[in-house]
Amino acid sequence: MRLHVNDTDHDAVPRPGQCLRTLLRELGWFGVKKGCDSGDCGACTVWLDGQPVHSCVTPAFRAEGRAVTTIEGLAATAGADALHPMQRRFLAAQGFQCGFCTPGMVLTAASLDQAQRRDLAASMKGNLCRCTGYGAIGDAIDGIVHTEPDDGIASAFGRNVPAPAGPAVVTGRARYTLDAAPLPGLLHLKLLRSPHAFARIVSVDVTAALALPGVQLVLTPSDSPARLFSTARHENPLEDPDDTRVLDGVVRFVGQRVAAVVADSEAAAEAGCRALQVEYEVLQAVFDPEAAMRPGAPLVHGDKGPASRIHDPSHNLVAAVESSSGDPVAGFAAAEIVHEASYTTQRVQHASLETHGAIGWLDQGCLTVRSSTQTPFLTRRALCDLFDLPPERVRVLCERVGGGFGGKQEMLVEDIVALAVLRTGRPVRLEFTREEQFIGAPSRHPMRVAVKLGAKRDGTLTAIHLRVVSNTGAYGNHGPGVLHHGCSESIGVYRCPNKRVEGYAVYTNTVPAGAFRGYGLSQTVFAVESAMDELARALRLDPFELRRRNVIGPDGAPHSADDTAHTDIEMGSYGLDQCLKLVESALRRGAGTKPPDPSWQVGDGMALAMIITTPPGGHFAQARIALCAGGIYELTVGTAEFGNGTTTVHAQIAAAVLGTRPTAIRIRQSDTALLGHDTGAYGSTGSVVAGQATERAALALRDRLLDRAAIQLCVDRAACHLHGAAVQAGTARLALDALHAASEAELVGTGSSAGTPRSIAFNVQGFRVAVQPGTGEIRILHSVQAADAGRVINPMQCRGQVQGGTAQAIGATLYEELRIDAAGRVVNPAFRHYHIPAWADLPRTEVLFADTTDRVGPLGAKSMSESPYNPVAAALANAVADATGVRCRDLPLAPDRVFRALAAHNV
Ligand code: FES
Ligand code: FES
């Protein structure tokens, strides 16, 4: 058939049943994305004869003889301009973070008439964004400008500098993991996944699969390296248990890999999977973590020895924390009031719009893997270990990653792709479906948290006891780290001298949990901050006041029950007092906000959260910056860009140090071939740790430039670089000399950071809600968050991180839940059943910043990517309790649950 795409005629023969999305990508139009392939997310939006359609549910043959417009061709529809007006608006408002949803968003928005633009919640309901919370997208459509003009050398820092990749993002030229023309001989890999929660694989008969046309290879447990590893990626690999194999002879959750089929096409690989004959010996499974800890429970990793570093395989314990400070027994004895309750948080998914994927190939004998990873260097290290390869024979890289939120701090695809590449010698591609993302990729750890607080009548805390049971699922990736982190800062923010923590990360036969925005804190903060609210009510104290009487101050150190984790912490700046005041005032200002009608009950709630700005145990980053011909600086960093905004921040840091424009900084990143090492972009380290390396590299280059400039000035003006003031004052002259220097020889500065000391950041969230007692529905009337981000490098971008984090947490508080049935199966592995917030679901969060400058972070900045997520759930639950008088201690606060709680209370 013939179709006209943008300015190009294509002759194509779609396969039976092929959708327009895959056909367009096969024709090279990579601006057409996949988020779900089921019509739910809008990432695949194109215009068909000028009308937006979801191309994943549009049969390819329907495009015959019609005009298809993808994001790459949108500009041409507006005439001779380089960009369509809507693309310009998205740039001006920076209506994106990772940008994976952006082509679809722009195309849908560009098709709206004036009337449709007045009701964006309805008009944009078919397009989902997981990063932004839709605020910046709404601003883009409304024509609001957030970016500031590039008008001078001294303006780099603290201004709304646009993302360097913006033009590529809004035009579809930005390249994500699988946006690459097929390599010659490319093979496709598909995974057969377990239907059983716990079973031993007795045999895999591959005969029928190998006989199918196009099938080249079948990988079964007998092909797997024997070596055990963890899918979690940490600088110190000993943080996680070695409990995983590439393909294991035992399956421990429904959805675990059983075998892989490698074929000439995805369809052939899928047919190969269906043809595999697997015999299982089904074992008794355990799904509840409390039951899994009891004697006699099925042992998920009972076959593992001490070398796996599992805390206690005989009780399914991957990790345990039992520690005290002060004298908790005496502290509770001295209390005049004790509050005690249990709180539960559910399993939620990252749901980044880009699913996991990788392409691997051999490049002159070097195993090369392009993947959707937050940690290319650590993934290379793991591949080297697994396949006994030296580092110079493995390269891992990513371009732009379509959202991460911690979910891509794992090795979920690279290992099996590498095995297939090494076995076939040919390029191999694997892309998770959305269903695989839900059933085979990690989620947030569900936790049960029991909190006991003792206090004096004036609110002074005398003792805190926390008991945390964390369900790590079938594998222990991130289980220990999430447990320790969750048990630490949630109570470390309070000065109470007597604390006890008991925490257990427990194996069950469920889909593994892993790193998730907040890294355990969102769950424990929900419990602790809900309990603090209950204590405040019992004491008839204002919840802000109760916090003020107990939080650590500017001179205080975080005080957990396990202080060994806090030896390198320095309170580089303190803004918690400001954050409390900002949110308190904002809620007071909005006191007149009205509910939909008088039958709704209205209330306010707040919660706070503290986070240490860098993970413990070492986090390393290197940076290199070179002055190149034309006065352009080339900055090379290891950290990845997945919507966290680090690319912009690095350009601003380098420009601020070098006294140049951010647009003069060209960034290369996230490729193991470019630098020695970088731990990776997680724990909000992209700005703080990698930013420090960039700052130091830029300072080193500046010193060299100053030397060069001084020499020049000595000749020209009889000044000398030893008389630094004369040179420092000559900023313009420095830039001129830099240009001269660039034409003479490449000048280079290098820098590194070990991620220590570590500072502390704070977030305070406030909500005003209305609750409908007849249905349990919650409406957010006002959402405000104050953030102590240190010196804010890019207010527009930082505000976006806070709004996006709040939005994601609102979803996790009100309705998101990955549900698992009695047989261990995920029952809602699709966006239409696992509800992530759409446009209509979210309020616009007001974002306020404390005015602080951090002594530790680069140029005074602190981290602010994951922490905004942490106080949201408790603040919402506290607001609901304020509105209704009824406390909900279990998430999510779905209408049916709230309704039942209200009904029970009112009986
Ligand atoms: S990929 Fe088509 S709607 Fe999600
Ligand atoms: S910017 Fe929308 S999904 Fe990332």
Side-chain angles (χ1 to χ4, degrees):
M1 72 180 209
R2 170 155 286 215
L3 70 167
H4 187 77
V5 185
N6 303 325
D7 55 357
T8 310
D9 283 322
H10 293 279
D11 288 313
V13 182
R15 294 182 294 279
Q18 185 172 19
C19 69
L20 182 58
R21 181 189 76 77
T22 55
L23 179 66
L24 289 169
R25 285 186 62 86
E26 285 166 14
L27 294 172
W29 301 105
F30 294 121
V32 186
K33 306 298 185 200
K34 182 204 82 175
C36 66
D37 261 356
S38 56
D40 298 325
C41 76
C44 63
T45 301
V46 300
W47 286 359
L48 205 51
D49 288 339
Q51 289 302 311
V53 297
H54 289 178
S55 62
C56 71
V57 288
T58 304
F61 71 82
R62 289 247 174 90
E64 179 161 21
R66 299 172 73 181
V68 178
T69 306
T70 72
I71 191 69
E72 293 97 331
L74 182 66
T77 65
D81 284 354
L83 291 177
H84 185 278
M86 191 54 71
Q87 290 169 315
R88 280 203 298 274
R89 288 179 175 212
F90 268 71
L91 276 180
Q94 295 282 285
F96 56 86
Q97 286 179 19
C98 80
F100 200 77
C101 70
T102 308
M105 288 282 179
V106 171
L107 280 160
T108 303
S111 72
L112 303 180
D113 60 27
Q114 283 305 325
Q116 290 168 317
R117 282 190 198 176
R118 281 195 287 277
D119 187 3
L120 291 176
S123 308
M124 299 296 291
K125 69 176 191 284
N127 290 78
L128 297 177
C129 174
R130 189 52 157 170
C131 302
T132 62
Y134 304 100
I137 298 174
D139 288 348
I141 297 172
D142 290 342
I144 294 169
V145 175
H146 290 307
T147 53
E148 295 178 59
D150 177 15
D151 61 356
I153 281 175
S155 66
F157 209 80
R159 298 195 66 186
N160 294 332
V161 170
V169 167
V170 303
T171 55
R173 287 184 285 108
R175 289 287 172 259
Y176 295 80
T177 309
L178 299 175
D179 296 344
L183 294 164
L186 179 69
L187 297 171
H188 299 264
L189 189 152
K190 284 284 177 185
L191 293 162
L192 179 72
R193 293 180 178 275
S194 171
H196 302 294
F198 202 10
R200 190 167 291 115
I201 297 172
V202 177
S203 63
V204 183
D205 185 345
V206 302
T207 317
L210 281 173
L212 290 172
V215 172
Q216 302 291 339
L217 174 73
V218 178
L219 296 168
T220 70
S222 61
D223 299 293
S224 173
R227 196 182 294 253
L228 289 162
F229 66 101
S230 173
T231 59
R233 305 269 47 87
H234 278 119
E235 180 62 41
N236 177 4
L238 303 183
E239 283 186 37
D240 301 282
D242 287 336
D243 58 7
T244 303
R245 286 183 68 199
V246 176
L247 292 165
D248 204 332
V250 176
V251 285
R252 297 178 174 84
F253 68 96
V254 176
Q256 181 173 329
R257 301 169 181 176
V258 171
V261 177
V262 186
D264 295 340
S265 67
E266 281 191 78
E270 279 169 4
C273 286
R274 286 194 295 274
L276 290 171
Q277 302 288 323
V278 185
E279 187 185 342
Y280 298 95
E281 177 195 347
V282 177
L283 305 171
Q284 190 190 344
V286 60
F287 303 116
D288 176 68
E290 296 278 2
M293 285 194 284
R294 286 185 208 122
L299 298 181
V300 181
H301 287 279
D303 55 336
K304 303 292 191 306
S308 279
R309 299 185 306 282
I310 297 168
H311 177 75
D312 180 1
S314 67
H315 291 89
N316 288 314
L317 289 178
V318 64
V321 183
E322 291 181 2
S323 61
S324 300
S325 64
D327 186 343
V329 174
F332 281 112
E336 292 168 328
I337 184 169
V338 172
H339 168 75
E340 191 169 6
S342 281
Y343 305 81
T344 62
T345 58
Q346 78 285 30
R347 182 180 270 106
V348 297
Q349 234 279 339
H350 310 78
S352 48
L353 221 50
E354 181 197 47
T355 59
H356 289 271
I359 308 170
W361 68 96
L362 291 174
D363 182 1
Q364 299 179 341
C366 178
L367 172 66
T368 306
V369 182
R370 174 186 167 111
S371 78
S372 54
T373 179
Q374 296 174 227
T375 57
F377 291 81
L378 299 187
T379 300
R380 174 179 63 171
R381 185 192 284 173
L383 293 176
C384 289
D385 290 347
L386 257 180
F387 299 108
D388 290 319
L389 293 169
E392 62 274 14
R393 287 206 41 218
V394 182
R395 176 185 175 200
V396 177
L397 69 152
C398 57
E399 284 198 48
R400 208 171 165 84
V401 176
F405 316 114
K408 292 168 179 170
Q409 193 191 338
E410 307 269 357
M411 185 169 70
L412 296 182
V413 288
E414 298 90 342
D415 57 332
I416 191 79
V417 165
L419 179 60
V421 170
L422 293 171
R423 286 287 297 270
T424 62
R426 291 171 62 177
V428 176
R429 176 187 191 276
L430 168 61
E431 179 180 21
F432 274 12
T433 62
R434 179 54 58 185
E435 181 182 6
E436 285 182 297
Q437 200 73 16
F438 281 113
I439 67 169
S443 64
R444 184 176 74 166
H445 286 75
M447 289 189 191
R448 171 174 291 277
V449 183
V451 185
K452 186 176 175 185
L453 303 175
K456 296 287 191 188
R457 286 265 159 232
D458 67 358
T460 308
L461 289 170
T462 59
I464 301 176
H465 184 177
L466 211 60
R467 182 180 186 273
V468 179
V469 176
S470 170
N471 184 350
T472 201
Y475 291 90
N477 46 307
H478 296 284
V482 163
L483 179 69
H484 282 273
H485 197 238
C487 289
S488 169
E489 286 111 292
S490 57
I491 59 170
V493 70
Y494 292 113
R495 274 186 285 105
C496 175
N498 307 304
K499 294 178 180 171
R500 171 138 184 90
V501 167
E502 294 156 52
Y504 308 98
V506 188
Y507 284 124
T508 60
N509 293 110
T510 56
V511 59
F516 190 102
R517 198 172 199 164
Y519 211 61
L521 276 177
S522 70
Q523 301 96 311
T524 51
V525 166
F526 167 64
V528 171
E529 291 299 301
S530 295
M532 285 294 284
D533 200 70
E534 293 195 67
L535 181 65
R537 279 166 205 287
L539 290 167
R540 299 188 188 286
L541 271 178
D542 178 86
F544 284 95
E545 185 55 30
L546 180 66
R547 287 357 185 256
R548 284 194 184 98
R549 291 184 188 182
N550 288 287
V551 293
I552 57 173
D555 302 326
H559 182 83
S560 76
D562 174 15
D563 282 331
T564 53
H566 295 323
T567 49
D568 65 339
I569 290 173
E570 181 179 328
M571 185 77 80
S573 59
Y574 181 83
L576 179 53
D577 51 349
Q578 292 182 51
C579 290
L580 286 166
K581 193 179 267 178
L582 286 166
V583 170
E584 191 176 28
S585 307
L587 286 178
R588 213 175 281 140
R589 271 201 313 276
T593 321
K594 291 276 182 293
D597 69 58
S599 68
W600 293 66
Q601 297 171 319
V602 177
D604 288 353
M606 59 78 62
L608 60 80
M610 175 181 90
I611 195 164
I612 297 168
T613 57
T614 306
H619 199 107
F620 300 95
Q622 296 177 341
R624 178 181 186 277
I625 184 160
L627 178 60
C628 306
I632 294 294
Y633 298 86
E634 188 174 81
L635 172 63
T636 306
V637 293
T639 194
E641 173 65 60
F642 51 96
N644 47 354
T646 48
T647 315
T648 321
V649 165
H650 281 252
Q652 287 183 261
I653 292 172
V657 172
L658 290 163
T660 188
R661 292 177 164 82
T663 46
I665 312 290
R666 194 170 57 210
I667 298 186
R668 300 190 304 163
Q669 65 188 127
S670 48
D671 183 343
T672 60
L674 298 177
L675 276 175
H677 186 63
D678 184 280
T679 298
Y682 62 86
S684 300
T685 51
S687 297
V688 174
V689 181
Q692 228 165 27
T694 287
E695 181 190 9
R696 290 169 185 167
L699 284 167
L701 176 58
R702 190 179 73 176
D703 285 349
R704 296 199 64 191
L705 286 168
L706 283 169
D707 280 350
R708 187 66 67 96
I711 293 163
Q712 186 84 39
L713 286 166
C714 281
V715 174
D716 287 359
R717 296 186 187 170
C720 174
H721 73 285
L722 294 176
H723 304 103
V727 177
Q728 296 283 357
T731 311
R733 185 55 193 256
L734 170 61
L736 199 60
D737 284 336
L739 296 181
H740 286 176
S743 63
E744 295 168 10
E746 193 186 61
L747 284 177
V748 175
T750 58
S752 63
S753 171
T756 187
R758 302 179 292 146
S759 188
I760 298 174
F762 300 96
N763 298 75
V764 177
Q765 173 72 42
F767 283 112
R768 168 152 305 132
V769 302
V771 183
Q772 173 49 254
T775 61
E777 185 187 347
I778 297 168
R779 293 229 186 129
I780 296 172
L781 304 178
H782 186 193
S783 169
V784 55
Q785 185 166 136
D788 174 22
R791 196 167 162 219
V792 179
I793 299 173
N794 186 320
M796 165 187 70
Q797 201 169 272
C798 196
R799 192 182 323 116
Q801 291 295 320
V802 176
Q803 288 179 332
T806 308
Q808 194 176 23
I810 288 172
T813 305
L814 295 185
Y815 36 75
E816 289 185 34
E817 181 169 20
L818 197 63
R819 293 196 303 277
I820 291 187
D821 69 9
R825 292 180 297 246
V826 174
V827 300
N828 54 344
F831 276 150
R832 70 184 49 189
H833 305 301
Y834 179 93
H835 181 177
I836 70 169
W839 200 296
D841 298 323
L842 290 171
R844 175 79 67 108
T845 292
E846 179 185 359
V847 179
L848 306 163
F849 293 117
D851 183 11
T852 60
T853 300
D854 201 61
R855 286 193 304 277
V856 175
L859 300 179
K862 295 200 256 194
S863 59
M864 199 45 64
S865 282
E866 57 180 324
S867 58
Y869 187 91
N870 297 334
V872 170
L876 259 175
N878 294 342
V880 170
D882 187 51
T884 63
V886 175
R887 172 64 53 176
C888 296
R889 299 194 180 106
D890 305 307
L891 296 181
L893 306 179
D896 57 332
R897 177 172 280 157
V898 175
F899 173 77
R900 280 198 303 272
L902 295 178
H905 181 73
N906 294 328
V907 166

